[in-house]
Amino acid sequence: MRKLTVSSFLFFITFLTEVNAQEPIKSVDPLIGTAHARYFHFAPGAMPFGMAKPAPSTNGSLGNKSGWEATGYDFRDSFIENFPNFHEFQIGGVALMATTGPLQTIPGNMDDPSSGYRSNFDRKDEVAEPGYYSVLLKDYGIKAELTSTERVAFHRYTFPKNEQSHILFDIGNMMGESGKVKDAEVKINPDGTVEGYVITAPVYVEKYHAGADIRMYFYAVPDKKAQKSGVFQGEQITTNATKINGISSGAFFTYSTNHHEAIEIKIGLSYTSVDAAKTNYLEEAKDLNFDSAKGRNQKAWNSMLGRIKVEGGKEEDRTKFYTGLYHALLGRGLASDVTGTYPKNDGSVGQIALDKNSKPIHHHYNTDAVWGAFWNLTQVWTIAYPEYLSEFVNSQLLVYKDSGWLADGIANSKYVSGVGTNFVSLVIASAYLQGIRDFDVDLGYEAALKNELDGKDRPRGAGKLDVDRFVKNGFIGHIDESDNEMQESWMFSASHTLEYSFSSYAVGQFAKALGKIEDYEKLTKLSNGWKHLFDPQLKLIRPKFEDGTFIENFNPRQAWRGFQEGNSYQYTFYVPHDAKGLIDAIGKDEFNTRLDSIFIKAEPLEFGGGKTIDAFSGLEGMYNQGNQPNLHVAWLFNYSGKPSLTQKWVQEICNKFYGIEGVHGYGYGQDEDQGQLGAWYVLGAIGLFDVGGLTEPDAKMGLSSPLFDKVTIALNPNYYQGKEFVIKKKSGKAAGTYIEKIMLNNKTVHEPFIPLKSITSGGELELEMGNTSKDSYK
């Protein structure tokens, strides 16, 4: 295994100094789509893939009935509750707040703001950028600012002149998706530093990993000594005490401040121990102040975002583009310490192997499920951030080594499957097939194969609880009712059959590349599972009972009966590994007519659930850009002889589904899922997308019309031969929706595809554009 020798992946930017002249962070608006967003969506103080994600919270964990709905920050709110430092799927907490006047130690009720310490704020007083956030807390006249290093949050509070200026550490309250608090501790040390922890029981951890919990640790260093300090538990305050345990625990520090006096706090964070949090602080932040940390943070964002440089086009599209790319680099965060310690699946602390310089050879990450990520995130990572995809694979293999199973989603290595399936094996296969191989390949293959075929003693958190029935029959028989509370084991027969067919194909290609021919043949046979459920009369995917008969009372619009978060109209197109086979089964002309008509009907609904603000608002429609199962569909025309329709509808989705507002960002409050919808826009806007999720050894990217005159992708020389790949519209022909001619490295291309290897080898794609649709290229 080739070891990663850089001291920090997050600063793997030495080959990108030439792009620092531009500042793509100026085109990012983190406030986009923050109405009904997920908890991890808004963390402007964070670094790319960072652990420390300081951000404002307007509503804590309200609206979290099912364990995933909490927004934390909602664009429509007008009060700020506090500033938490952890923002991940199922993880949130360690909040700070600054106030003046009589000491209050609870956030209070949104309906009665005066009942607690929360503060009113105005949008005009708020600045949100990648790596920096500031706001005026109007009730107190305090300017709050946030930034971070990878594992250390920086807070700066600028106070008015006041004898009662306070900084609160509100540690023991539920925050975001973190679930109920089991325990918390806060300790004030003699030198004025603060340390502690909070232990929570998130709903999805309890669901998929019974008995497990989430542990968050901190070590904080204020730069001014307080005149008075103490601890609290809820509203019960104990002045001069230095330690407290239990739910609703916290600490306060009171200062006498001059006008415009700033107090900075640096907070080392960890998921393993207070000592590790302190070490993270000492290694990353001891010699930095707020402004130097902010500069370092934003330099990293400019470099990471600058790997894809866009020129020309509309300013609005550049904002959508870089905001989408920002979310693709924000959503999944570090879970390991600077020393390589990390939280293991069983609750103990593990150690990542170290290189000759005593640095960890890779890092470990928290991650939501990768359901649908192969149609957005992993393609963006493969092209522009292959070192992160490598780290993702290595991170997932840690969990496999520790637990014996791949886990689709993980919070501190605990299972949080979320959707009850598991596509990590597909991601591992794709990475290998595209040349990203600096992981233990034998272990990766073992894990991937087990994920596809093994149902024995499978834990709920590994997903695919019905995979044994798929392997036995080639499809999953439908069950309408069951007493089994694990609905994902019986409720989604059709969608699981389609998903397992796809991932079987991917791992089959992995097997073939490794010379595992027996496995390849078995997996390839399973990849045809979709054919069992194709109804030749309706030409739709239709659930079947185990005896092979189609279900009765079939309604193609109905969600949740055989289909997870979608319906038959949507899932019928879910054959990404055999698009031509599906087109042949439906008939090319009928396929094109039907799919085009679906988009015509979806357009007035903004290609989702219309203006209904709900993550599931489009589940019973014929097309739903707001959820994963449909994200490849607009690109299928490239396979059916109508590439002009791919070009038309991809642009229409980019223009109408995506917005630049707090409410209309990714649809109207749709489910952004850690950067997936943002990454889809990135691919659509540059006109590159692989329906097959890069699971072919010689993968090809489908083409569409770029929204920009020129796109330059900087390539990572540790993985790819080329320096950069350029996409440009031919001079004088930049206008127009449709591609008329394709030139790759000065050679004419006769199909709407180019090999991925032609991108990673470096070169130039030139497109001649026009206003007349064209479906053949000479």
Side-chain angles (χ1 to χ4, degrees):
M1 174 177 171
R2 182 172 63 80
K3 295 184 178 181
L4 302 178
T5 58
V6 291
S7 60
S8 171
F9 154 72
L10 298 175
F11 277 89
F12 186 68
I13 57 174
T14 55
F15 63 94
L16 281 170
T17 55
E18 69 271 19
V19 302
N20 286 336
Q22 68 163 341
E23 290 197 334
I25 62 170
K26 295 186 182 303
S27 294
V28 176
D29 183 357
L31 291 165
I32 288 175
T34 50
H36 195 73
R38 297 289 290 279
Y39 179 65
F40 38 71
H41 180 84
F42 187 68
M47 288 188 67
F49 303 120
M51 176 188 293
K53 293 183 176 179
S57 175
T58 64
N59 58 35
S61 56
L62 296 181
N64 198 38
K65 180 180 178 181
S66 303
W68 61 271
E69 301 98 330
T71 63
Y73 179 97
D74 192 314
F75 184 82
R76 298 164 292 181
D77 292 339
S78 58
F79 285 85
I80 284 177
E81 182 178 271
N82 50 32
F83 301 94
N85 293 289
F86 285 104
H87 281 81
E88 299 288 355
F89 179 51
Q90 300 293 288
I91 299 174
V94 183
L96 270 64
M97 184 57 175
T99 67
T100 59
L103 180 64
Q104 292 180 292
T105 55
I106 61 170
N109 193 308
M110 287 187 70
D111 297 330
D112 181 15
S114 63
S115 63
Y117 59 61
R118 68 177 65 244
S119 175
N120 184 33
F121 77 103
D122 282 341
R123 238 5 108 201
K124 64 181 179 63
D125 299 321
E126 185 179 41
V127 176
E129 303 170 348
Y132 177 72
Y133 177 84
S134 72
V135 69
L136 177 66
L137 302 174
K138 289 180 64 178
D139 293 356
Y140 307 115
I142 298 170
K143 182 180 181 181
E145 298 173 275
L146 307 171
T147 191
S148 69
T149 62
E150 294 96 321
R151 300 170 181 85
V152 181
F154 284 66
H155 292 234
R156 181 164 66 189
Y157 299 104
T158 303
F159 290 89
K161 182 176 177 59
N162 199 294
E163 296 298 314
Q164 298 183 84
S165 294
H166 313 288
I167 292 176
L168 307 177
F169 285 72
D170 194 349
I171 307 303
N173 287 325
M174 182 166 66
M175 187 59 59
E177 300 175 354
S178 65
K180 62 186 178 183
V181 174
K182 294 175 64 176
D183 192 17
E185 179 177 287
V186 185
K187 179 183 176 184
I188 303 172
N189 297 316
D191 62 358
T193 59
V194 194
E195 62 185 55
Y197 62 81
V198 58
I199 304 173
T200 66
V203 171
Y204 272 56
V205 172
E206 291 190 317
K207 179 179 180 180
Y208 289 102
H209 199 143
D213 53 39
I214 296 297
R215 300 179 178 230
M216 295 164 271
Y217 301 88
F218 71 94
Y219 175 85
V221 183
D223 72 348
K224 181 177 181 179
K225 185 176 180 180
Q227 291 180 308
K228 183 171 65 174
S229 63
V231 298
F232 60 85
Q233 198 158 46
E235 295 184 87
Q236 184 177 345
I237 300 169
T238 307
T239 303
N240 295 325
T242 59
K243 185 176 179 181
I244 194 165
N245 294 81
I247 297 169
S248 300
S249 294
F252 71 90
F253 297 83
T254 300
Y255 307 87
S256 174
T257 55
N258 296 316
H259 182 57
H260 284 175
E261 181 176 353
I263 299 175
E264 294 185 14
I265 305 101
K266 295 183 272 192
I267 311 166
L269 303 172
S270 175
Y271 294 114
T272 62
S273 69
V274 169
D275 286 344
K278 182 176 181 179
T279 299
N280 290 340
Y281 156 74
L282 292 171
E283 288 291 319
E284 292 184 2
K286 183 177 182 293
D287 298 324
L288 297 178
N289 61 24
F290 187 95
D291 289 328
S292 58
K294 174 189 173 185
R296 181 178 182 268
N297 186 322
Q298 294 199 314
K299 181 180 179 181
W301 273 114
N302 272 323
S303 292
M304 291 288 275
L305 293 169
R307 293 197 192 185
I308 308 180
K309 179 181 178 181
V310 298
E311 301 174 65
K314 300 176 184 177
E315 181 179 354
E316 177 178 311
D317 292 340
R318 288 194 297 276
T319 297
K320 293 180 187 179
F321 177 86
Y322 280 115
T323 302
L325 187 56
Y326 162 75
H327 282 126
L329 301 175
L330 174 71
R332 290 137 205 269
L334 280 167
S336 56
D337 303 311
V338 291
T339 59
T341 49
Y342 72 97
K344 293 180 69 174
N345 179 266
D346 65 2
S348 63
V349 176
Q351 175 65 57
I352 298 168
L354 304 178
D355 65 15
K356 62 182 179 182
N357 298 313
S358 298
K359 300 295 183 181
I361 61 173
H362 63 81
H363 300 91
H364 189 49
Y365 297 86
N366 286 306
T367 173
D368 194 358
V370 291
W371 198 52
F374 35 78
W375 289 325
N376 35 67
L377 288 173
T378 63
Q379 294 191 42
V380 171
W381 298 340
T382 299
I383 294 170
Y385 310 95
E387 75 280 15
Y388 175 72
L389 181 55
S390 168
E391 295 238 312
F392 179 88
V393 171
N394 277 297
S395 183
Q396 295 289 338
L397 290 180
L398 279 183
V399 178
Y400 178 75
K401 284 191 289 186
D402 292 341
S403 71
W405 296 91
L406 290 173
D408 195 27
I410 50 174
N412 289 9
S413 299
K414 310 303 186 298
Y415 297 131
V416 285
S417 178
V419 290
T421 185
N422 192 328
F423 275 107
V424 176
S425 48
L426 182 149
V427 176
I428 295 171
S430 172
Y432 179 86
L433 292 167
Q434 306 319 321
I436 300 168
R437 299 175 178 179
D438 48 350
F439 59 90
D440 185 333
V441 172
D442 290 338
L443 185 70
Y445 180 73
E446 173 190 307
L449 187 66
K450 184 176 183 180
N451 193 45
E452 295 307 310
L453 301 179
D454 197 346
K456 187 176 185 297
D457 300 324
R458 194 174 183 110
R460 188 174 189 180
K464 301 181 75 158
L465 298 180
D466 48 5
V467 72
D468 51 349
R469 293 196 285 139
F470 175 73
V471 173
K472 177 183 177 182
N473 300 321
F475 72 99
I476 299 166
H478 182 71
I479 300 172
D480 259 327
E481 294 183 6
S482 174
D483 294 331
N484 190 337
E485 67 173 10
M486 293 188 285
Q487 292 180 328
E488 64 268 34
S489 70
W490 58 269
M491 193 172 178
F492 308 123
S493 60
S495 58
H496 281 185
T497 295
L498 298 169
E499 291 170 348
Y500 302 173
S501 297
F502 180 26
S503 57
S504 291
Y505 176 83
V507 178
Q509 296 303 303
F510 191 10
K512 185 179 181 182
L514 294 176
K516 313 279 190 181
I517 302 306
E518 186 176 339
D519 291 343
Y520 162 70
E521 291 174 349
K522 183 173 185 177
L523 290 161
T524 300
K525 183 178 179 181
L526 289 172
S527 74
N528 291 315
W530 68 274
K531 296 178 181 179
H532 289 284
L533 302 189
F534 184 79
D535 185 334
Q537 307 304 127
L538 298 177
K539 296 187 178 179
L540 293 170
I541 293 294
R542 182 175 176 179
K544 271 184 178 179
F545 294 115
E546 195 154 342
D547 66 5
T549 60
F550 285 116
I551 64 169
E552 299 174 346
N553 302 315
F554 174 56
N555 176 2
R557 284 186 177 272
Q558 184 178 358
W560 306 110
R561 188 188 181 205
F563 299 96
Q564 185 166 19
E565 299 184 27
N567 60 37
S568 177
Y569 283 132
Q570 296 171 11
Y571 268 102
T572 289
F573 298 102
Y574 201 118
V575 190
H577 58 294
D578 191 10
K580 291 183 178 179
L582 176 66
I583 292 164
D584 289 343
I586 294 175
K588 183 182 289 189
D589 291 342
E590 183 175 346
F591 179 92
N592 287 326
T593 300
R594 182 198 294 183
L595 189 53
D596 190 36
S597 68
I598 284 173
F599 282 110
I600 291 169
K601 292 174 182 177
E603 186 174 10
L605 296 172
E606 310 282 349
F607 301 101
K611 296 185 179 181
T612 301
I613 300 178
D614 185 274
F616 289 157
S617 62
L619 296 197
E620 295 194 349
M622 300 186 78
Y623 179 83
N624 184 18
Q625 179 70 20
N627 214 327
Q628 286 85 340
N630 268 181
L631 295 180
H632 65 300
V633 173
W635 299 84
L636 288 172
F637 292 110
N638 278 344
Y639 296 85
S640 61
K642 287 287 185 180
S644 61
L645 290 177
T646 282
Q647 295 154 32
K648 172 185 176 180
W649 291 119
V650 168
Q651 283 208 25
E652 289 298 309
I653 292 168
C654 287
N655 292 338
K656 295 179 179 177
F657 178 83
Y658 292 86
I660 55 171
E661 303 160 6
V663 176
H664 181 199
Y666 299 91
Y668 283 83
Q670 298 289 349
D671 186 359
E672 225 281 71
D673 260 359
Q674 288 190 293
Q676 287 201 35
L677 294 179
W680 190 98
Y681 184 91
V682 168
L683 295 168
I686 65 176
L688 295 174
F689 188 95
D690 179 29
V691 165
L694 302 179
T695 58
E696 292 275 4
D698 297 312
K700 292 184 177 181
M701 303 293 292
L703 302 181
S704 186
S705 308
L707 299 182
F708 309 104
D709 297 338
K710 185 178 180 182
V711 178
T712 304
I713 303 169
L715 300 169
N716 184 332
N718 278 15
Y719 291 84
Y720 301 135
Q721 293 179 344
K723 179 181 180 183
E724 64 182 24
F725 185 75
V726 176
I727 305 167
K728 67 179 184 180
K729 298 177 182 179
K730 189 173 181 179
S731 179
K733 292 272 191 175
T737 299
Y738 299 105
I739 297 171
E740 293 187 343
K741 188 175 182 179
I742 304 168
M743 298 286 288
L744 178 63
N745 298 328
N746 295 317
K747 294 182 179 179
T748 301
V749 175
H750 302 291
E751 61 177 2
F753 299 94
I754 59 171
L756 175 67
K757 288 178 182 176
S758 69
I759 297 173
T760 58
S761 297
E764 181 177 280
L765 175 68
E766 186 177 65
L767 302 173
E768 189 170 310
M769 307 300 296
N771 287 312
T772 302
S773 62
K774 190 172 182 180
D775 292 317
S776 63
Y777 306 102
K778 298 180 180 179

